[in-house]
Amino acid sequence: MIRRYDFAPLDGITKVVFRRVWAAHFGGADRYFIPFFSPTCHHILTDRDRREMDPAGNGGLSSVPQVMTRCAADFLWAAEQVADMGYPEVNLNLGCPSGTVTAKGKGAGFLARPEELERFFDEVFAGVCLPVSVKTRLGVSDPEEFGRLLEIYNRYPIACLIIHARVRDEKYRGPVHLEKFAQALAASKNPVCYNGDLRTVEEVRAMEARFPTLDAAMIGRGAVADPALFRKLRGGPAATREELQEFTRDLFGEYQAFYGQVGPAAQRMREVWFYLIHLFEDAERLNKKMRRFKSPGEYETAEAAIFAELPLRDHAEGDLV
Ligand SMILES: Cc1cc2nc3c(=O)[nH]c(=O)nc-3n(C[C@H](O)[C@H](O)[C@H](O)COP(=O)(O)O)c2cc1C
């Protein structure tokens, strides 16, 4: 049975303002993974990194900062910063598929360098001051790569191995590789958390039925598309129209306060609506308006029309890509 639900890090979306507002309106996630920061060899936390991770700004939510690097010394330094801020765990990003990241051998690009990854872990686990969890994919281009990677992971005391059941080349599209995940779950010596494409209560229950020993799942896009998803997984009600309206109003207001401008705030809302629109029926026409608005005023008009005109579903539907 799944006992722990983590909110996945979605860079550009589940940043500090979103996490705070989302948790105040819906909640139900056990932990919030903070989108990655990339330390440099200068070992300086930027103002942006600090704002993102400052525990006071995070409203007391149980959170896990994520680091993306292939340099053990930089990871160890970053882990110290995370520990100094009072966090009990640090996460390593081995999943980011973006070309600019993987070209530097970071994120999912690190999976193509198993020997180097082993040396990295040797150094990290010899000196790290916090439990380390790892968010990985099954490989770069072929899920069969995971056998070799799991041999490496199994040699280290990883607090939790979060597996996004795709390879780098698949980005976030296409079917997840559940047979390969099954093998990974059976063969991992470390605790495992499943990640990928969970959008509804039924999909989560189906995972539990198929993998009775699985006790943790991480959900990202599904919990933006249906903000009540974690609540429903715990037996709570679906989101109402009024609740969603209050949530988006509050979120837009908080983004304006954060940026000091309405333009970037509306842009952030467009990104949230990219997923949230899946909770509404017959959304095509109004979704176009939401995707193409040119001013904050047009954003507000598009949103008001969605709430006024579209039937609300009790779960999200469609591909969240
Ligand atoms: C826009 C976007 C940003 C993401 N940013 C991060 C990130 O900062 N760190 C990370 O480990 N994964 C990141 N991911 C991957 C998600 O955490 C998650 O693994 C992926 O969305 C699959 O899970 P889901 O189907 O539940 O959303 C991102 C994904 C998307 C779509």
Side-chain angles (χ1 to χ4, degrees):
M1 192 186 141
I2 299 176
R3 288 171 214 283
R4 198 184 69 233
Y5 292 105
D6 292 332
F7 205 141
L10 299 172
D11 193 35
I13 298 170
T14 63
K15 304 282 271 190
V16 60
V17 173
F18 180 94
R19 296 194 301 274
R20 220 176 38 221
V21 175
W22 184 94
H25 284 262
F26 296 99
D30 290 296
R31 302 189 302 173
Y32 297 77
F33 279 66
I34 301 178
F36 70 86
F37 75 105
S38 292
T40 65
C41 59
H42 305 299
H43 293 181
I44 294 167
L45 272 187
T46 64
D47 287 347
R48 185 185 283 203
D49 295 338
R50 275 185 205 288
R51 264 202 310 273
E52 198 44 40
M53 287 187 284
D54 172 23
N58 271 287
L61 298 176
S62 174
S63 310
V64 181
Q66 184 185 62
V67 178
M68 189 160 69
T69 180
R70 58 184 263 227
C71 168
D74 295 349
F75 185 88
L76 289 168
W77 172 80
E80 269 172 36
Q81 307 311 303
V82 168
D84 285 350
M85 285 184 256
Y87 290 101
E89 179 177 319
V90 61
N91 182 261
L92 171 69
N93 181 322
L94 293 181
C96 182
S98 138
T100 47
V101 164
T102 56
K104 294 182 200 145
K106 299 199 284 184
F110 210 165
L111 304 179
R113 306 163 180 243
E115 286 82 24
E116 187 185 325
L117 185 60
E118 224 164 349
R119 287 196 298 277
F120 172 91
F121 279 140
D122 279 341
E123 242 184 278
V124 162
F125 283 101
V128 73
C129 56
L130 277 182
V132 179
S133 56
V134 170
K135 187 158 177 286
T136 184
R137 287 177 178 253
L138 295 173
V140 177
S141 46
D142 182 345
E144 291 306 317
E145 292 164 43
F146 200 68
R148 169 83 175 100
L149 292 169
L150 190 60
E151 259 174 45
I152 297 175
Y153 296 142
N154 275 345
R155 292 189 36 223
Y156 302 92
I158 293 171
C160 184
L161 187 64
I162 304 157
I163 302 176
H164 177 62
R166 289 192 174 91
V167 295
R168 182 262 159 187
D169 293 350
E170 293 166 326
K171 305 265 174 79
Y172 299 109
R173 284 176 188 276
V176 284
H177 302 282
L178 290 185
E179 305 73 33
K180 195 36 90 183
F181 176 75
Q183 290 170 20
L185 181 62
S188 176
K189 295 196 173 141
N190 294 304
V192 167
C193 172
Y194 172 81
N195 170 246
D197 289 20
L198 296 175
R199 283 168 313 175
T200 65
V201 173
E202 286 66 31
E203 284 166 356
V204 175
R205 298 290 174 246
M207 277 302 285
E208 284 184 308
R210 180 156 176 187
F211 301 108
T213 61
L214 180 66
D215 70 357
M218 171 181 269
I219 303 179
R221 295 168 297 177
V224 183
D226 178 359
L229 180 57
F230 290 110
R231 183 171 83 188
K232 287 191 291 184
L233 285 165
R234 299 180 191 285
T240 64
R241 187 179 300 269
E242 293 69 34
E243 233 183 339
L244 290 164
Q245 245 167 329
E246 275 170 31
F247 166 63
T248 57
R249 191 181 310 132
D250 204 8
L251 188 58
F252 187 41
E254 290 289 320
Y255 277 141
Q256 289 178 64
F258 184 79
Y259 291 110
Q261 292 176 53
V262 69
Q267 181 52 33
R268 287 273 97 91
M269 294 307 295
R270 190 196 321 263
E271 287 154 12
V272 171
W273 272 104
F274 180 85
Y275 298 106
L276 192 55
I277 197 73
H278 292 262
L279 204 50
F280 294 84
E281 273 172 45
D282 306 328
E284 205 169 311
R285 181 178 58 86
L286 293 179
N287 193 23
K288 255 188 209 150
K289 296 206 161 149
M290 182 55 86
R291 285 188 179 214
R292 293 181 190 164
F293 69 74
K294 296 208 172 55
S295 66
E298 281 179 24
Y299 150 66
E300 289 185 275
T301 308
E303 183 174 289
I306 291 170
F307 281 126
E309 295 173 33
L310 300 185
L312 183 62
R313 296 185 168 123
D314 69 355
H315 62 274
E317 274 186 23
D319 282 344
L320 304 180
V321 285

